[in-house]
Amino acid sequence: MTVRTRFAPSPTGFLHIGNVRTALFNYLYAKHHKGKFILRIEDTDPERSKQEYADAILYDLEKIGLQWDEGPVYQSKQPDVYLESLNQLRKQDKVYPCYCTPDELVARRKEALMMKRPPRYDNRCRHLTREEIQKKEQAGIRPTIRFKVDDTKPVLVDDLIRGQVSFDPQEIGDFVIMRSDPAGKHDFLPTFHLSVCVDDGRMGITHIVRGEDHLSNSPRHVLLFQALGFVVPQFAHLSLIHGPGGEPLSKRLTAIRIRDFVEQKGYLVEGLLNYLALLGWSPKDNREVMSLNEIIEAFDLRNATKHSAIFNEDKLNWINSEHLRALSEDVYQEKAIEFLKAKDRQAGILSAEPARLKKSLSLIKTDMTKFEDLIERLSFLPEPAFKTLPAEEKKMLTQPGAQKVLDSAAQAFNEISGEGEPLYQALIDHVKAASQQKGKALFMPIRVAVTGHLHGPEMKKIFEVLDRATIQNRLTQMSQALKS
């Protein structure tokens, strides 16, 4: 048997962490078993589906290297397929029209909960007479189509992660599989339940890997697969992703498009996929830093966890930093420059002399977690000016003693020698003796004058990048700016 998995997003928004984790696990499982990974766009809801989101899904998957083997298949382009399946179910007397309004259904659900009964549909439209149906039609009520749940034996869902899960069919109730087309182009449009089962069956999907929030849908799907004559696929319901405190994934994270993790924040694709693979799964040897090929080789859904996966941004940053450090120097420099070209519109970092920029990138490589850090880490390269300093930096330079520190630093170059770290140490020793300042009162005015910032790379590293004349000039210019 050839393993066939699928990722089937609805184009009602951009992909986020949860979506992509599902896509990744389907991709990994298919590739581990040398099978096929299929992409399907579930766009049967014309009111919410947008082409821009469908296009973005394709772009994002390609951006992170999850290339599909077949598709994309758009459900909206095959309405006749679902109507054929509906007719098949009609011939088996498995469906009926339901004329209950949304308000009526909500009221009955509330009543059932108050009476401590399962909030299932009470099947009242199942037994409508022809005359009653005709009366509903004449009144202009547009029906849905419900699937009859006649089973009395438990519905069993075989799950690779959770084992065999049993559901009482009497708690499921007859459920909607078709609804009226609001645009009027077709008599009916399929609901999620029918469309996924028809397409999974026709496409020969062997394994359905999705979030555990779909587990309650699976008994309905088992019944539909059986009624339509399809082999029931193997299920695997992934644990949901929660925040660090066990809370649902925050809107801040779900609002971040997956492409933005790469293009805006500067995560490596390899680092991002490595981290996402560990959200709800781990290899038998508990390795954490792995290449995509290593993950594919080790991937086994039987090692997936049943408990919630916790999204930890610090862990993501650490894993990404390990992948950054593993890059060859040439690849690292190329990727860093590429990121800066896209992001460095105002910082002026790229205007630095090429050799100085290259040396700077090498010095900060081990201090970074992602390429977004470059903007802050390299902010010392453009020459600072007192007028444009942030408020906190200006405050530091106007503290008592700061002027004396900068005057002493500017004059020190007439008496000290050297370059790089020895120059920095000699400068600190000289200024400390001349100004009688120590601690932050000594170090911070020099840092701000040279870099324009209170925080950043170690000063000894900055002195390795900036030459003696540049450092002296910056100290002199800032000292004079303070006096004026």
Side-chain angles (χ1 to χ4, degrees):
M1 177 188 71
T2 300
V3 167
R4 292 173 63 82
T5 67
R6 48 74 164 175
F7 178 51
S10 297
T12 56
F14 295 108
L15 293 183
H16 56 71
I17 286 292
N19 304 137
V20 174
R21 196 274 302 257
T22 298
L24 175 62
F25 277 42
N26 276 280
Y27 176 87
L28 293 173
Y29 193 78
K31 296 307 171 185
H32 176 81
H33 292 281
K34 296 181 171 49
K36 299 294 184 181
F37 172 61
I38 295 101
L39 175 61
R40 186 171 74 226
I41 305 297
E42 299 194 338
D43 57 346
T44 57
D45 186 342
E47 296 174 322
R48 298 178 61 226
S49 297
K50 293 184 179 180
Q51 188 59 45
E52 66 174 294
Y53 293 137
D55 294 341
I57 288 168
L58 271 61
Y59 175 89
D60 288 350
L61 290 177
E62 290 181 326
K63 184 72 179 180
I64 60 175
L66 299 187
Q67 186 59 54
W68 51 94
D69 299 302
E70 297 177 19
V73 175
Y74 290 84
Q75 290 185 332
S76 62
K77 295 182 179 180
Q78 50 183 33
D80 291 345
V81 168
Y82 309 115
L83 291 176
E84 288 175 12
S85 296
L86 173 60
N87 290 331
Q88 181 182 344
L89 295 173
R90 277 175 170 159
K91 290 177 181 178
Q92 301 176 52
D93 193 27
K94 289 284 189 179
V95 295
Y96 62 90
C98 174
Y99 297 89
C100 297
T101 67
D103 289 342
E104 291 171 339
L105 294 172
V106 168
R108 287 180 211 143
R109 180 180 176 85
K110 288 181 178 178
E111 180 184 353
L113 291 171
M114 287 179 62
M115 301 296 291
K116 296 185 178 181
R117 298 196 306 265
R120 47 157 281 181
Y121 179 61
D122 59 11
N123 301 353
R124 67 178 57 197
C125 285
R126 184 196 273 224
H127 306 294
L128 291 177
T129 64
R130 287 187 179 181
E131 290 75 15
E132 288 173 320
I133 291 176
Q134 187 175 19
K135 194 173 181 180
K136 300 279 189 184
E137 296 283 351
Q138 289 173 348
I141 302 175
R142 303 181 71 184
T144 59
I145 303 295
R146 287 186 181 270
F147 179 83
K148 295 179 180 179
V149 180
D150 290 323
D151 296 59
T152 56
K153 294 181 180 179
V155 181
L156 303 179
V157 175
D158 290 319
D159 193 297
L160 283 171
I161 299 171
R162 299 165 198 283
Q164 191 175 77
V165 186
S166 177
F167 293 87
D168 182 353
Q170 298 307 308
E171 293 187 1
I172 298 173
D174 298 348
F175 56 93
V176 177
I177 62 169
M178 297 287 267
R179 59 189 175 85
S180 298
D181 181 1
K185 293 181 180 179
H186 309 282
D187 290 339
F188 294 101
L189 292 176
T191 65
F192 166 74
H193 296 306
L194 181 65
S195 61
V196 298
C197 292
V198 170
D199 286 335
D200 286 341
R202 283 166 50 87
M203 293 177 178
I205 300 302
T206 61
H207 294 77
I208 296 175
V209 183
R210 57 190 181 188
E212 67 175 328
D213 51 331
H214 283 292
L215 181 57
S216 61
N217 291 324
S218 294
R220 296 171 174 83
H221 297 174
V222 168
L223 295 174
L224 278 172
F225 282 128
Q226 293 171 342
L228 292 168
F230 294 126
V231 174
V232 179
Q234 176 74 65
F235 292 93
H237 290 92
L238 308 174
S239 59
L240 298 182
I241 304 174
H242 286 185
E247 71 280 3
L249 204 59
S250 70
K251 290 184 178 180
R252 179 184 68 84
L253 282 171
T254 55
I256 300 175
R257 298 181 300 178
I258 201 66
R259 71 179 70 175
D260 291 340
F261 277 92
V262 178
E263 296 176 345
Q264 302 299 320
K265 292 180 171 292
Y267 287 100
L268 293 171
V269 168
E270 297 88 340
L272 182 61
L273 293 182
N274 184 170
Y275 178 70
L276 291 180
L278 299 177
L279 285 178
W281 172 84
S282 62
K284 290 181 179 179
D285 56 9
N286 292 319
R287 279 177 294 165
E288 291 190 303
V289 180
M290 308 167 68
S291 70
L292 183 59
N293 285 336
E294 288 172 332
I295 297 170
I296 289 172
E297 184 178 352
F299 195 75
D300 186 344
L301 280 171
R302 289 173 295 184
N303 292 339
T305 59
K306 296 179 184 179
H307 56 76
S308 298
I310 303 299
F311 184 89
N312 185 316
E313 203 160 352
D314 290 338
K315 182 72 170 289
L316 167 61
N317 288 340
W318 174 74
I319 286 178
N320 196 70
S321 69
E322 293 296 307
H323 282 274
L324 264 174
R325 291 184 179 91
L327 293 177
S328 69
E329 186 63 22
D330 287 345
V331 172
Y332 162 70
Q333 292 272 345
E334 181 182 346
K335 288 181 177 291
I337 296 296
E338 181 182 354
F339 183 82
L340 286 170
K341 285 180 178 178
K343 298 291 288 183
D344 181 37
R345 294 184 176 87
Q346 297 178 337
I349 294 169
L350 285 172
S351 61
E353 192 267 326
R356 179 177 290 177
L357 176 58
K358 184 175 182 179
K359 188 173 183 180
S360 301
L361 288 171
S362 294
L363 284 171
I364 66 172
K365 182 180 180 182
T366 57
D367 297 334
M368 295 199 312
T369 61
K370 53 189 180 298
F371 284 122
E372 186 182 41
D373 299 343
L374 289 172
I375 304 300
E376 178 185 348
R377 294 287 180 177
L378 298 179
S379 60
F380 67 88
L381 287 175
E383 183 174 344
F386 181 77
K387 289 183 178 180
T388 58
L389 288 178
E392 287 298 312
E393 278 73 1
K394 283 184 178 179
K395 183 178 179 180
M396 170 55 68
L397 293 185
T398 55
Q399 295 290 316
Q403 181 72 68
K404 190 172 184 180
V405 167
L406 294 186
D407 288 344
S408 300
Q411 295 165 7
F413 281 78
N414 296 322
E415 302 178 34
I416 60 176
S417 60
E419 294 272 0
E421 186 176 348
L423 173 62
Y424 175 63
Q425 192 57 57
L427 177 66
I428 291 298
D429 292 342
H430 183 94
V431 175
K432 183 178 182 180
S435 67
Q436 297 300 302
Q437 299 291 331
K438 60 183 179 180
K440 286 186 177 181
L442 169 64
F443 295 108
M444 298 312 288
I446 293 175
R447 170 178 280 281
V448 173
V450 174
T451 70
H453 298 278
L454 286 167
H455 308 286
E458 294 179 83
M459 287 300 290
K460 63 183 182 181
K461 287 188 176 183
I462 291 174
F463 272 57
E464 290 290 340
V465 173
L466 301 178
D467 58 57
R468 179 187 177 93
T470 297
I471 295 168
Q472 181 180 11
N473 180 63
R474 291 186 179 187
L475 288 166
T476 301
Q477 293 295 327
M478 198 63 76
S479 174
Q480 293 174 352
L482 276 178
K483 292 176 181 177
S484 62

